[in-house]
Amino acid sequence: MWERPGNGEDGGPAVPVDTSTRPATGLSSAEAAARLRADGPNAAVAPPRRHLATRVLHQLTDPLVALLLAAAVVTTVLRDYPDTAVIVLVVLVNTAIGVVQEVRADRAIAALDQLAAPTARVVRDGRDLVLPAADLVRGDLVRVEAGDVVPADLLLAEAARLTLDESALTGESVPVGRAAGEEASAGTVVTTGRATGTVVRTGAASALGRITALVASTRPAATPLQRRLAGLGRLLGFAAVVLSGLVFVVGVVGGRPVVDMAVTAVSLVVAAVPESLPAVVTLALALGARRMAGARAIPRRLHAVETLGSVTVIASDKTGTLTEGRMAVQHAVTADGSRYGVTGTGYAPRGAVHHGGEPVAVPDELRRLARAGLLCNDATLAPPTDERPEWAAVGDPLEAALVAFAARCGLEPETTRAAWPRVAEHPFDQELRRMTTVHRSCDRRYLVVCKGAPENVLVAPLVDASAEEIAELSAAAHRLAAEGLRVLAVASAVADTPPADPARPTGLRPVGLVAVGDPLREGAADIAGSFDDAGVRLLLVTGDHPATAAAIGGQLGLWREGDPLVRGDDGDPARAHPQARVFARTQPEQKLDIIAGLQSRGHVVAMTGDGVNDAPALRRADIGVAMGSGTEVARQAADLVLVDDDLSTVAAAIGEGRRIYDNIRRFLRYALSGGVAEIAVMLLGPLFGLAVPLLPAQILWVNLLTHGVPGVALGAEPAEPGTLRRTPRSPSESVLGAGLGRDVLVTGALIAAVVLGAGVAAAHADRPWQSVVFVVLGLAQLGVALAVRAPRAGGARRGNRALPVAVAVSALLQVAGVLLPPLRELLGTEPLGAVELLACAAVSVLPGLVLRLARRPVDPATGSSGTEPHDAVTPAVVGGPGQGTRAAGCQGTRAAGDPAVTVGAADRDQGPDGRDGRL
């Protein structure tokens, strides 16, 4: 076969390369070298390196950062070096964090190299060689056996009992059998058997390489907070320049010197920009990250902490995320038709047997079924070690589940196998779809055991049973398969002589059925409800069979008979019914389309996963959540890693994200209202006879004290009651939306009114009114900081003691500006007496007092105080604009006439692997 390699990168002609091979001898070294030069190494394409200067420049182009840099220049010109130092420090810290985030994102590509096979066994020049996997070329003859990672895409020439763990690429939890003539994909793991195959694709063209390309081309979008702050930066910059220019014009028209008014206008620009906002955001995110880490959720990107609070949809993988990612016998049916439930964790040889929902002693019939499954089996269990704290499967995970099942039924695997030594066998093959073993008993008789697909075992003459018995067990197998389980039938018999042909025994008696699946994680059934309470919609997105997806969705409360179920192999899942919550047979590329479709409808999407196939979607989602026990590739691509693999931790993290966003908005209300008040005082002061209400140095001093430590301390406020019982904010909502802009203007007006009133009264009393304006302006803003604290339920203790301390220290420094001679000279103030200071303090508490009285008590049941900004938030979008909304906790329902893709009889007759009946 001749192919043209796609090497048109440099515009040169494609060179025909012969991909044929001679099975006995493989390629010659010369042929392999020529193909390596033509095709390149069998490795993921390394991402282009970005220079440090480019990364830094990218961070500095943020509108708010650019505005802060401009403010730093102005404060330097005004010789306000403390303010300059604070601004520069904030910019440096945020730039460093942003650069680190970009470097971490690029490491997701590098992690794919660790997954790929480091070496491969290849036939060259008629000899078996062990070569670096990167040296493989198309046409190479490669051998693999149990435990090997497939080094490139192979077309299998020979395959003996070959099964592959493809979960990292496809999400399939069950190993898949492959026969000669089929392909084995790069990055999959051989669980049983051995094979020889010809390399057909390497590097970027392989299955693993295609996912590499997806990860490389998928850049994480800006988080909702980053988009909102960027918009706020542009708005503040425009408003500050316009209003400060207006102050300049008013002053010049009023006869003030042009230079003085220019300095004043520039000072107001600095005052109007909350330069400590990035510091507040960084501190709030850092504190949130520390809290999450304590809850076993490690944020890899600081902004991911807040993004969780805005999430409206969580698209979750199944295998290893909602389920344990390990096979287990969940149900067993004995020959008399009795059905038993089996529980346990992972492959641990401990568990319980239930019948009718109640724990029962293991009956002899069930123990006989467990013994048969243990003997007709090649897997073993590995006990925990220091490096691996849990029991693990050695061999086929499906057979390991049967070993654990036998142990849970009271059998000792090693002792039982020693008492029934195997003397003959016919291994599982794709043609017969069953396995047979022969064991010698202590009395020199022979036990013949056969297990496999029910339709291949429950047939005459293999079994000696009545038509009614076979029909009853076959019906039970159909019911179990409809629940998304992989069903095995087991038959056995004791004979005086071994069968002549173990592949085709006869006269066996049915022992029963075992149903194997990937069980839900403990507590997973309550996860969907907790997300619904928070107004977040949980979706199940898996590569598994529709019947399996429907069964898991039903257990989670996401799917009921008749609800939409979207199949990735039957149309475009991105155009699915807006109420669909279960997606099956989805490929990595389709997961990207699903996420993009949700985002286009206005959703903030979190994606969870643990496999290589999940990595592109983890990068594309607004926030990617990886399981700590998952692949390194998934962890590197994610924004949040769950150390304990507990998805319910995400619910707590959502609450933390909402707390952070509430605190950022709280700071904005406090800081921006102060800026509004300062501009209003400078604009309106001359109309009330206050020619120059404040000097530039006084404006900057107030700005430094109020926006500094107290503002940062607001970022540590505790969560409000009922945070997880309210719907997420609309993704399109401005950071000043939901009434915050109105609150800023009202609060600023209150402060300005009190300041102007105090100034006018002092002027009429022939007192140093400018100093009075200076003191009252600072103290009134500090009073507002205490008034906008997080509301608490009755009797709750305050948790943020830093804020009162910060306010007290800043208030003392503000008063010191009119008491200490060095500061009076620096700020241009005049001394005030004790009575005047007390009067200033009394007047300054009025804005904060009004705000506190206007806020009603918190309702412990809902967490609402009646006037908080989040009360105006609309319910979370379910289907996007035009698709309607629902309140938190409601289940999506399908309207009459809506199209629905349901799991029909044809699907249920296929097993989760999509090829056979119920095996």
Side-chain angles (χ1 to χ4, degrees):
M1 181 173 62
W2 293 75
E3 295 187 4
R4 296 174 60 87
N7 63 345
E9 299 275 342
D10 56 3
V15 180
V17 177
D18 183 10
T19 60
S20 63
T21 185
R22 292 174 292 281
T25 61
L27 297 176
S28 68
S29 297
E31 288 175 313
R35 295 183 184 189
L36 185 61
R37 286 192 299 269
D39 292 352
N42 176 38
V45 178
R49 297 190 61 181
R50 298 179 63 191
H51 297 293
L52 179 62
T54 304
R55 297 182 188 274
V56 172
L57 183 62
H58 174 71
Q59 297 298 321
L60 296 180
T61 55
D62 180 86
L64 190 58
V65 173
L67 196 59
L68 288 174
L69 290 175
V73 172
V74 173
T75 53
T76 302
V77 172
L78 297 175
R79 297 184 178 182
D80 180 25
Y81 299 121
D83 226 358
T84 301
V86 170
I87 295 173
V88 171
L89 179 63
V90 167
V91 171
L92 288 176
V93 169
N94 282 274
T95 301
I97 291 173
V99 170
V100 170
Q101 292 168 1
E102 289 192 2
V103 172
R104 176 215 53 90
D106 290 340
R107 283 164 53 194
I109 305 295
L112 286 162
D113 294 335
Q114 299 177 11
L115 179 79
T119 60
R121 191 151 59 100
V122 60
V123 180
R124 292 262 180 96
D125 299 313
R127 295 181 297 123
D128 279 20
L129 302 174
V130 177
L131 298 177
D135 291 346
L136 289 181
V137 298
R138 292 185 296 164
D140 261 330
L141 191 63
V142 175
R143 304 187 194 279
V144 292
E145 56 187 24
D148 288 346
V149 177
V150 178
D153 286 359
L154 305 178
L155 178 61
L156 299 176
E158 301 173 3
R161 296 192 63 214
L162 180 69
T163 60
L164 300 174
D165 180 359
E166 298 182 347
S167 61
L169 292 180
T170 66
E172 286 275 12
S173 56
V174 178
V176 178
R178 296 295 181 198
E182 296 183 314
E183 287 194 7
S185 298
T188 59
V189 181
V190 179
T191 53
T192 62
R194 60 186 182 277
T196 302
T198 303
V199 175
V200 291
R201 285 178 295 275
T202 62
S206 69
L208 188 60
R210 290 193 294 273
I211 294 181
T212 305
L214 279 176
V215 177
S217 62
T218 305
R219 292 291 172 185
T223 67
L225 179 61
Q226 289 172 320
R227 294 193 294 267
R228 287 164 175 158
L229 291 182
L232 177 64
R234 290 188 290 268
L235 175 64
L236 289 180
F238 176 78
V241 171
V242 170
L243 292 176
S244 298
L246 184 59
V247 170
F248 171 79
V249 172
V250 170
V252 171
V253 171
R256 301 294 303 170
V258 174
V259 174
D260 289 352
M261 290 312 303
V263 173
T264 301
V266 171
S267 300
L268 279 177
V269 171
V270 176
V273 176
E275 70 277 356
S276 57
L277 175 59
V280 171
V281 171
T282 301
L283 175 67
L285 294 176
L287 290 175
R290 188 176 68 179
R291 291 172 189 249
M292 286 187 184
R296 311 284 287 171
I298 308 298
R300 296 184 56 83
R301 200 160 61 117
L302 272 185
H303 275 277
V305 179
E306 181 278 332
T307 304
L308 275 168
S310 304
V311 163
T312 59
V313 171
I314 294 179
S316 177
D317 178 44
K318 178 187 75 69
T319 305
T321 304
L322 292 169
T323 63
E324 294 182 0
R326 292 166 293 196
M327 304 304 293
V329 174
Q330 298 183 27
H331 297 280
V333 177
T334 54
D336 61 1
S338 300
R339 178 167 171 169
Y340 298 89
V342 185
T343 59
T345 302
Y347 295 110
R350 296 177 297 276
V353 174
H354 300 263
H355 183 62
E358 298 294 331
V360 296
V362 181
D364 292 339
E365 294 80 4
L366 185 62
R367 187 174 285 108
R368 189 177 300 114
L369 172 62
R371 184 190 65 183
L374 172 64
L375 295 176
C376 190
N377 192 317
D378 292 325
T380 59
L381 300 178
T385 63
D386 293 338
E387 296 78 17
R388 190 193 63 249
E390 298 178 338
W391 285 80
V394 179
D396 188 332
L398 182 70
E399 293 195 331
L402 295 178
V403 178
F405 168 56
R408 290 165 186 172
C409 288
L411 298 176
E412 168 51 50
E414 297 302 325
T415 303
T416 303
R417 284 173 167 171
W420 298 86
R422 185 183 300 181
V423 296
E425 67 177 293
H426 178 78
F428 180 88
D429 63 51
Q430 292 293 331
E431 179 184 356
L432 296 176
R433 302 200 64 77
R434 64 190 183 222
M435 174 182 180
T436 305
T437 57
V438 182
H439 307 265
R440 187 176 60 245
S441 66
C442 57
D443 58 0
R444 296 293 179 177
R445 302 185 74 192
Y446 295 91
L447 173 67
V448 183
V449 182
C450 180
K451 80 172 191 297
E455 66 271 25
N456 294 83
V457 174
L458 300 177
V459 292
L462 191 149
V463 296
D464 179 16
S466 65
E468 291 76 11
E469 290 178 295
I470 293 177
E472 183 178 353
L473 286 175
S474 297
H478 275 276
R479 288 191 294 270
L480 291 169
E483 297 175 17
L485 300 172
R486 187 165 181 171
V487 184
L488 298 174
V490 183
S492 70
V494 177
D496 294 327
T497 59
D501 183 6
R504 290 175 171 79
T506 59
L508 307 185
R509 288 290 301 168
V511 184
L513 307 170
V514 287
V516 184
D518 186 6
L520 285 179
R521 289 185 180 275
E522 185 177 357
D526 301 325
I527 289 177
S530 64
F531 285 142
D532 277 341
D533 290 342
V536 180
R537 195 158 166 257
L538 179 65
L539 306 182
L540 174 61
V541 183
T542 177
D544 260 329
H545 187 272
T548 304
I552 296 297
Q555 295 175 46
L556 292 169
L558 303 180
W559 186 87
R560 292 177 297 179
E561 189 70 39
D563 285 350
L565 190 149
V566 182
R567 296 181 57 151
D569 57 358
D570 184 22
D572 183 3
R575 300 179 180 275
H577 190 283
Q579 295 294 339
R581 300 184 73 172
V582 178
F583 296 75
R585 290 294 190 213
T586 53
Q587 299 299 317
E589 298 86 349
Q590 293 174 322
K591 290 184 179 182
L592 291 177
D593 295 337
I594 292 171
I595 291 173
L598 290 167
Q599 290 172 330
S600 68
R601 294 199 294 269
H603 287 291
V604 177
V605 183
M607 174 71 196
T608 72
D610 66 337
V612 177
N613 63 314
D614 299 317
L618 291 172
R619 286 285 297 278
R620 180 64 179 86
D622 295 286
I623 178 167
V625 181
M627 302 297 109
S629 63
T631 62
E632 177 67 13
V633 179
R635 292 196 296 269
Q636 291 287 352
D639 303 294
L640 184 73
V641 178
L642 302 181
V643 178
D644 55 4
D645 294 356
D646 187 357
L647 193 59
S648 63
T649 304
V650 176
I654 288 174
E656 187 63 28
R658 293 180 180 181
R659 181 191 72 85
I660 291 169
Y661 188 64
D662 287 345
N663 284 344
I664 292 172
R665 284 170 53 90
R666 190 168 288 114
F667 167 78
L668 287 174
R669 181 181 184 184
Y670 162 66
L672 294 182
S673 63
V676 168
E678 291 166 10
I679 292 176
V681 168
M682 295 299 292
L683 275 175
L684 301 178
L687 301 180
F688 292 94
L690 308 178
V692 182
L694 292 169
L695 299 176
Q698 295 171 353
I699 294 174
L700 294 175
W701 180 263
V702 171
N703 188 52
L704 177 64
L705 292 183
T706 57
H707 289 191
V709 179
V712 173
L714 272 175
E717 280 292 280
E720 301 177 9
T723 297
L724 281 176
R725 291 192 295 273
R726 66 180 204 236
T727 54
R729 299 182 185 279
S730 169
S732 60
E733 178 186 286
S734 164
V735 71
L736 296 178
L740 182 59
R742 175 203 63 210
D743 292 341
V744 166
L745 294 177
V746 170
T747 305
L750 284 173
I751 297 173
V754 168
V755 170
L756 289 173
V760 169
H764 287 169
D766 198 23
R767 300 301 301 157
W769 56 266
Q770 192 177 65
S771 296
V772 170
V773 168
F774 166 74
V775 172
V776 173
L777 178 63
L779 295 182
Q781 290 189 49
L782 294 173
V784 167
L786 296 176
V788 299
R789 299 187 70 180
R792 308 294 288 174
R797 297 177 59 186
R798 295 283 182 184
N800 182 17
R801 298 179 181 177
L803 182 60
V805 173
V807 168
V809 172
S810 297
L812 290 175
L813 291 174
Q814 179 70 12
V815 173
V818 295
L819 294 180
L820 300 181
L823 288 179
R824 287 205 306 267
E825 183 177 353
L826 175 67
L827 301 174
T829 59
E830 299 178 54
L832 296 178
V835 175
E836 293 165 328
L837 287 174
L838 287 175
C840 288
V843 171
S844 299
V845 301
L846 293 178
L849 185 61
V850 170
L851 295 178
R852 292 294 294 177
L853 293 176
R855 186 166 66 189
R856 295 195 295 273
V858 175
D859 181 358
T862 64
S864 173
S865 62
T867 61
E868 291 305 300
H870 62 257
D871 293 333
V873 178
T874 58
V877 178
V878 170
Q883 298 294 341
T885 59
R886 70 174 175 84
C890 296
Q891 296 288 340
T893 57
R894 183 168 60 88
D898 283 343
V901 182
T902 59
V903 181
D907 289 331
R908 297 189 192 285
D909 288 341
Q910 300 178 22
D913 61 2
R915 291 196 301 272
D916 65 284
R918 282 149 298 279
L919 178 61

